[in-house]
């Protein structure tokens, strides 16, 4: 039996993970659904996911505002790990963190860097070397074990400040994600954003860089 995991990345239930669910799965505003979303733009019974031959099919149930996958309106779609599902104001990510990480590892040799013609590459480090990216040039992740824990011992005002900062980052990223569109002509999964969206992402990066500098040097403004 195959199981489905959906992560809510935006909407009233953001941060909620619905793990290892059996199909069929219904999503909507009514409490009788497998996943109930508190969103007035979501229909009472908005969409369903069913399994057929080991593949998962998402179907829009003639909802009022429609269903989107990777920015595109759909009526029916065979789902892939990492797909972004939009229903009303809610955005759900298809797959668990482990599944998405594994698919990323599988896709990296094909979509991130390409091997020279007729060259066999057996390991990711060999692939990077073949593209002129040597060990001393590669950057290892700063947080290999995932995001750091939130501090526990905060005064109420500090907790509110941290919450506001995270909410700001989340809102900016949600706007960028919403503007992304899947390139349906690409042979490998590829998301695209327009110039204005890209600039918004760069501004967010600059805002965070400014915050980091001020945390390290409180006197800087």
């Amino acid at each position: 039996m195959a199981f489905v995991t959906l992560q809510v990345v935006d909407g009233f239930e953001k941060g909620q993970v619905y793990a290892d669910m059996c199909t069929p799965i219904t999503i909507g505003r009514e409490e009788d659904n497998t996943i109930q979303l508190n969103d007035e733009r979501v229909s009472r019974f908005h969409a369903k996911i069913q399994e057929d031959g080991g593949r998962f099919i998402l179907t829009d149930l003639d909802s009022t505002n429609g269903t989107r996958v990777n920015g595109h309106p759909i009526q029916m779609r065979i789902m892939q790990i990492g797909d972004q599902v939009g229903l009303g104001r809610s955005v759900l990510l298809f797959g668990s963190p482990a599944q998405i990480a594994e698919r990323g590892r599988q896709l990296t040799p094909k979509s991130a860097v390409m091997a020279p013609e007729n060259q066999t590459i057996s390991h990711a480090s060999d692939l990077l070397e073949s593209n002129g990216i040597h060990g001393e040039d590669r950057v290892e992740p700063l947080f290999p074990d995932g995001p750091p824990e939130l501090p526990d011992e905060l005064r109420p005002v500090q907790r509110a400040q941290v919450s506001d900062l995270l909410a700001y980052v989340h809102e900016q990223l949600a706007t960028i994600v919403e503007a992304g569109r899947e390139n349906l002509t690409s042979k490998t999964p590829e998301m695209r954003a327009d110039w204005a969206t890209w600039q918004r992402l760069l501004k967010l990066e600059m805002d965070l860089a400014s915050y980091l500098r001020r945390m390290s040097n409180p006197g800087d403004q």
Side-chain angles (χ1 to χ4, degrees):
M1 179 182 296
F3 298 95
V4 170
T5 294
L6 288 165
Q7 306 175 65
V8 185
V9 297
D10 201 9
F12 187 80
E13 286 81 13
K14 62 177 177 282
Q16 180 74 40
V17 177
Y18 299 92
D20 298 331
M21 297 178 294
C22 298
T23 55
I25 297 163
T26 59
I27 308 170
R29 205 174 62 248
E30 287 287 324
E31 63 181 11
D32 290 337
N33 288 283
T34 314
I35 297 178
Q36 182 185 15
L37 298 176
N38 185 9
D39 185 337
E40 71 276 9
R41 295 190 180 182
V42 170
S43 296
R44 294 172 60 246
F45 294 93
H46 196 109
K48 70 176 180 180
I49 298 174
Q50 58 195 29
E51 186 264 343
D52 186 3
R55 309 185 80 176
F56 296 101
I57 302 168
L58 173 69
T59 305
D60 180 83
L61 300 176
D62 294 325
S63 63
T64 301
N65 293 308
T67 300
R68 304 175 307 281
V69 174
N70 299 332
H72 296 278
I74 63 100
Q75 181 60 42
M76 183 176 288
R77 160 93 174 204
I78 296 177
M79 298 298 292
Q80 300 289 333
I81 295 298
D83 277 348
Q84 160 202 324
V85 182
L87 308 92
R89 292 190 176 91
S90 302
V91 178
L92 288 72
L93 194 59
F94 184 80
S96 67
Q99 289 174 321
I100 293 170
E102 176 59 27
R103 188 169 188 232
R105 284 191 289 269
Q106 293 172 355
L107 292 173
T108 296
K110 299 177 182 179
S111 58
V113 286
M114 298 299 294
E117 188 176 0
N118 299 325
Q119 181 176 346
T120 300
I121 295 177
S122 59
H123 193 272
S125 60
D126 296 331
L127 182 62
L128 292 171
E129 295 283 353
S130 72
N131 285 270
I133 304 174
H134 302 288
E136 65 271 16
D137 299 319
R138 294 199 299 271
V139 179
E140 297 299 326
L142 184 60
F143 302 102
D145 297 323
E149 294 291 329
L150 287 171
D152 291 326
E153 298 179 0
L154 294 176
R155 303 199 316 271
V157 65
Q158 292 173 323
R159 189 171 295 276
Q161 286 176 306
V162 172
S163 177
D164 283 349
L165 175 57
L166 294 177
Y168 166 74
V169 174
H170 184 274
E171 179 189 41
Q172 295 301 306
L173 289 175
T175 303
I176 294 165
V177 168
E178 178 65 23
R181 292 292 180 270
E182 184 178 18
N183 179 13
L184 299 176
T185 63
S186 176
K187 294 181 180 179
T188 56
E190 180 181 283
M191 296 295 292
R192 290 186 173 182
D194 58 27
W195 185 87
T197 301
W198 176 249
Q199 291 300 314
R200 189 175 188 131
L201 181 60
L202 293 178
K203 182 182 183 302
L204 176 60
E205 183 180 25
M206 186 60 204
D207 288 340
L208 293 176
S210 176
Y211 280 130
L212 288 170
R213 181 180 179 86
R214 288 167 60 187
M215 291 295 291
S216 300
N217 303 282
D220 289 350
Q221 296 296 327

